[in-house]
């Protein structure tokens, strides 16, 4: 009897945690899903990962987030260049570019549209550039240039002005 109460309390807590993370849309379905598999420990994990994978961000949101990552990278790079007399050490450039690539990857999320694909191409090319001896020069690859032009055009169609 006590183990049933403990299991119920644990499942109720996990369900509430999942509902809090997912928002109001899942509140009606979360309660019915948690009641069915009382003994399964895998059920809460599946419930928590399914909504995130299903919802791809809209192109406008991807463009806005990618643009924020780009602006943040530019500001940081310029600020560092000003403090160092115009020279940015390769190690510093690598760190900033890795952070930029991470921001782009997060912006793309699960998007499979042209916007999302081009953001991921730029992120991948930026990551490759971090492995070069001179990452600031290596970031200007032909693939990155093509993806940047395509991304700017796609974002313009989505109503967001970008400058990649």
């Amino acid at each position: 009897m006590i183990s049933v109460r403990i299991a119920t309390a644990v499942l109720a807590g996990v369900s509430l945690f999942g509902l809090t993370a997912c928002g109001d849309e899942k509140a009606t379905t979360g309660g019915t899903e948690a009641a069915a598999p009382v003994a399964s420990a895998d059920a809460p994990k599946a419930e928590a990962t399914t909504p995130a994978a299903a919802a791809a961000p809209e192109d406008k949101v991807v463009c806005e987030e990618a643009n924020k990552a780009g602006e943040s990278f530019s500001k940081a790079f310029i600020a560092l260049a000003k403090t160092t007399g115009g020279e940015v050490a390769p190690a510093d450039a690598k760190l900033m570019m890795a952070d930029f690539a991470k921001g782009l990857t997060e912006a793309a999320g699960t998007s499979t549209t042209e916007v999302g694909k081009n953001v991921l191409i730029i992120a991948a090319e930026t990551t490759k550039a971090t492995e070069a001896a001179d990452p600031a020069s290596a970031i200007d690859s032909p693939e990155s240039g093509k993806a940047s032009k395509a991304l700017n055009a796609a974002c313009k169609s989505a109503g967001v002005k970008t400058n990649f």
Side-chain angles (χ1 to χ4, degrees):
M1 190 72 148
I2 293 176
S3 64
V4 172
R5 287 183 188 166
I6 292 172
T8 304
V10 170
L11 286 174
V14 170
S15 295
L16 289 175
F17 179 71
L19 291 174
T20 304
C22 295
D24 292 333
E25 284 182 33
K26 300 298 176 188
T28 57
T29 60
T32 58
E33 289 176 8
V38 174
S40 175
D42 292 334
K45 291 179 189 173
E47 182 180 327
T49 58
T50 303
E58 293 180 17
D59 284 349
K60 183 175 182 175
V61 173
V62 174
C63 291
E64 290 170 345
E65 293 302 312
N67 201 39
K68 286 178 188 175
E71 288 174 352
S72 176
F73 171 72
S74 294
K75 287 177 184 177
F77 200 86
I78 291 169
L80 184 60
K82 284 182 180 179
T83 61
T84 61
E87 292 293 321
V88 176
D92 293 332
K94 288 179 184 189
L95 289 175
M96 287 190 300
M97 290 168 66
D99 189 49
F100 174 54
K102 180 183 174 191
L104 289 176
T105 302
E106 290 172 358
T110 57
S111 176
T112 57
T113 65
E114 286 303 309
V115 169
K117 289 176 186 176
N118 285 309
V119 169
L120 290 176
I121 290 170
I122 296 169
E125 290 299 312
T126 302
T127 300
K128 278 187 204 175
T130 64
E131 298 168 5
D134 183 11
S137 296
I139 198 168
D140 292 328
S141 71
E143 293 84 7
S144 182
K146 274 196 246 178
S148 295
K149 287 179 185 176
L151 178 62
N152 289 335
C155 287
K156 185 176 181 181
S157 295
V160 179
K161 184 178 179 185
T162 58
N163 187 21
F164 284 94

